[in-house]
Amino acid sequence: MSTPGMSVSGSGTLRVVAIADADSFVKWSASLLGGVPGIRPHLLIVRTPLTVSVEQQRTALTGTGMPAENVTRISFAETVGWLEGQRPDVVLLAGRGPFVRLMGRVVDRLTRRPVVVAGMPGMAIPAQRGALDYRRYADLLVVHSHREERAFAELGRRIGVGVPTALATLPFARLRSRMLAPDRARVLAAEPHGSSRGAMLVSERPDEGREKREPATDIVFAAQALVPVGREERAEIAATLIRAAEADPGRRVVLKLRSRPGETETHRERDSYLDLLPSRHPANLVVSYDSMASALSTAAGLVTVSSTAAVEAVAVGVPVIALDSFGVSKSLLNTVFVGSGLLGGRAEVVAGRFRHPHPDWLRDNYFHPSSESTWWERVEQLVAMRRSGSLPARVVPAARGGAMREAWHRASVLGGEDRTLRGAAALALGAPATKALAALRRGRASADGDTWADASTDFTLEPNPFHDSIRR
């Protein structure tokens, strides 16, 4: 609970440092801080096997408001000294769970402790046990919808983890004034009798004085590394994109990827769509590595299984199909779209029958009024409490298992960036043991009841089914 009346007004501009590595977290953290006026933001990119390339960084930071001179790339060994020199008031930990834990231990070593904030870089339904457990020592957990607030509160009660949460607007859900409002735009499906017009975004009642969105015709597919998992399902999506391109040679079908060959992403991709497409495919089926904002600027519709790009599309008035051809389940991360009106199949993609979400779905799912996003006010209160000495430090405890387990935690995140002998030994011993332990836990989950299969809740208790180790 915040302390009434405590604020940092008049105490100087707050210095806020986001610490990130992977592409989605770089984009999210820079965008989140970009929406806060009157602060001194900085983005610290720590080198790990998941760290964005310079080109990915440029794409991720497009439109975030984070100046290039406010971004520093650094090794893990340099982080303590850098933070000691900068003395931030707030640190935003932006990475996968083990990265957050590791950087939390760095914060614990600082002589002047900042307020620690953490969060996830997109839609976080279902709320996963690991997502909360790794961030349990943050002073504040940022969530992006009322539904996520409830899900993480219930998850915390189930596992006995209490982390204060606060609501923020997902940066990619901020309505952009140059676009038509989502509930005032619609898509016309391809005309009958073989018309090749495809889908077209039109205004039903355009606002006077608002800049209109230029006509657009692209179908954009937002690829995801995690879902669908199966190679056959991913091949079916590739085939659908080919059919959509063949159905109307006058429109582009854009395969929007987040990494070029040789680059890494937040999550491991096992069957790349580039490998699943035939060498000869329609000329209007193209690949893009541009920012999602750029892809949406020429889009008549967005297709995805469960990417946060769907929210970004809704925010700028681009209609969406969230594919339900492989089902609707927590393991596909698409239960968040139940009741949205966005779910649809592959045939609808080919026909161009995109749609906008039901208004009743919006407020509970990422499009609440901006007045309800009070996360920064909470941060300011926490800074005042820390300065007054009334905010206890939430210290990451030492790993059970001593120095070797600590070395395992560090080396798992840093990979080749950890050049210590102890880290190398910990990885050699720990990797097989961790794999066996994960298999044992999955077996126990199957025997005890699997919350991943329970469609009645928005949280999960067992390890996720993606086999997506942070180790590379």
Side-chain angles (χ1 to χ4, degrees):
M1 292 294 291
S2 60
T3 301
M6 299 195 76
S7 70
V8 292
S9 59
S11 57
T13 303
L14 293 183
R15 175 73 160 161
V16 185
V17 175
I19 306 177
D21 63 341
D23 61 323
S24 59
F25 285 98
V26 167
K27 177 181 176 180
W28 169 73
S29 59
S31 299
L32 187 67
L33 297 187
V36 182
I39 63 172
R40 289 188 295 152
H42 201 95
L43 175 60
L44 192 64
I45 299 179
V46 179
R47 289 198 295 273
T48 75
L50 302 184
T51 297
V52 289
S53 69
V54 172
E55 190 60 38
Q56 282 177 305
Q57 174 185 319
R58 186 179 298 113
T59 300
L61 296 182
T62 299
T64 64
M66 180 69 71
E69 61 269 21
N70 287 13
V71 181
T72 300
R73 297 173 74 95
I74 198 171
S75 71
F76 174 74
E78 298 171 298
T79 53
V80 170
W82 191 95
L83 290 169
E84 286 284 15
Q86 295 296 319
R87 295 171 62 85
D89 300 289
V90 181
V91 165
L92 173 62
L93 299 183
R96 290 182 60 177
F99 178 88
V100 169
R101 177 179 58 193
L102 181 64
M103 298 313 303
R105 291 193 171 117
V106 170
V107 171
D108 291 342
R109 295 166 57 188
L110 301 179
T111 55
R112 180 178 180 267
R113 186 179 182 85
V115 168
V116 179
V117 181
M120 276 65 69
M123 297 187 297
I125 296 294
Q128 298 181 39
R129 181 176 191 146
L132 182 60
D133 209 19
Y134 277 115
R135 295 167 177 84
R136 65 191 300 168
Y137 300 105
D139 297 306
L140 189 68
L141 178 68
V142 172
V143 295
H144 299 106
S145 74
H146 290 299
R147 186 171 176 179
E148 288 185 3
E149 281 185 308
R150 296 191 302 272
F152 278 97
E154 178 60 24
L155 175 62
R157 285 191 289 270
R158 293 295 186 102
I159 66 176
V161 171
V163 182
T165 61
L167 185 64
T169 299
L170 190 65
F172 328 122
R174 297 179 190 132
L175 294 177
R176 302 173 191 177
S177 60
R178 70 184 180 86
M179 298 296 186
L180 297 173
D183 59 345
R184 299 172 74 88
R186 63 188 173 93
V187 163
L188 297 179
E191 291 183 345
H193 311 301
S195 169
S196 62
R197 278 181 53 202
M200 181 70 70
L201 186 67
V202 300
S203 169
E204 293 183 340
R205 294 190 304 278
D207 288 346
E208 293 298 325
R210 176 180 286 183
E211 185 178 345
K212 307 301 188 298
R213 185 174 182 270
E214 293 300 319
T217 59
D218 290 353
I219 291 178
V220 177
F221 172 65
Q224 295 166 267
L226 287 184
V227 295
V229 173
R231 181 180 178 87
E232 290 184 3
E233 294 168 333
R234 296 174 78 85
E236 287 183 37
I237 289 177
T240 299
L241 299 181
I242 291 173
R243 289 197 297 272
E246 292 172 339
D248 184 355
R251 70 184 176 194
R252 293 199 316 165
V253 176
V254 180
L255 172 57
K256 170 66 182 72
L257 301 177
R258 297 174 59 166
S259 62
R260 298 165 181 80
E263 294 177 330
T264 60
E265 296 182 26
T266 304
H267 301 288
R268 184 191 296 272
E269 183 177 46
R270 285 180 168 77
D271 290 297
S272 167
Y273 287 103
L274 292 179
D275 295 334
L276 296 173
L277 289 173
S279 57
R280 299 185 65 180
H281 55 260
N284 59 324
L285 173 55
V286 300
V287 176
S288 172
Y289 302 102
D290 289 340
S291 67
M292 182 54 68
S294 176
L296 291 175
S297 68
T298 55
L302 178 114
V303 189
T304 188
V305 175
S306 52
S307 170
T308 301
V311 172
E312 192 167 352
V314 168
V316 296
V318 173
V320 173
I321 291 177
L323 280 174
D324 62 2
S325 301
F326 314 112
V328 178
S329 66
K330 290 177 178 176
S331 60
L332 286 168
L333 306 178
N334 61 356
T335 56
V336 69
F337 294 118
V338 172
S340 69
L342 299 178
L343 291 166
R346 297 190 297 275
E348 292 171 290
V349 173
V350 175
R353 291 194 289 267
F354 297 89
R355 62 288 306 269
H356 291 283
H358 295 315
D360 290 345
W361 180 84
L362 290 171
R363 180 163 186 153
D364 206 34
N365 294 275
Y366 309 104
F367 291 94
H368 52 270
S370 59
S371 60
E372 296 174 5
S373 292
T374 58
W375 80 278
W376 185 249
E377 288 85 346
R378 290 287 304 279
V379 170
E380 290 182 315
Q381 292 167 353
L382 291 171
V383 170
M385 292 172 66
R386 176 126 297 157
R387 289 176 176 176
S388 71
S390 60
L391 182 65
R394 298 169 67 96
V395 177
V396 181
R400 289 176 292 181
M404 187 60 76
R405 187 62 181 270
E406 292 277 3
W408 160 257
H409 287 172
R410 185 184 62 252
S412 293
V413 174
L414 298 179
E417 290 294 324
D418 183 348
R419 296 177 174 86
T420 65
L421 292 176
R422 181 171 285 171
L427 281 179
L429 295 172
T434 301
K435 185 176 181 180
L437 181 60
L440 178 62
R441 285 174 175 170
R442 284 191 292 271
R444 286 177 179 171
S446 300
D448 298 339
D450 187 357
T451 54
W452 280 90
D454 182 1
S456 67
T457 68
D458 274 338
F459 65 87
T460 60
L461 300 177
E462 301 82 19
N464 71 56
F466 304 121
H467 308 288
D468 180 41
S469 171
I470 196 170
R471 296 185 299 281
R472 294 290 188 271

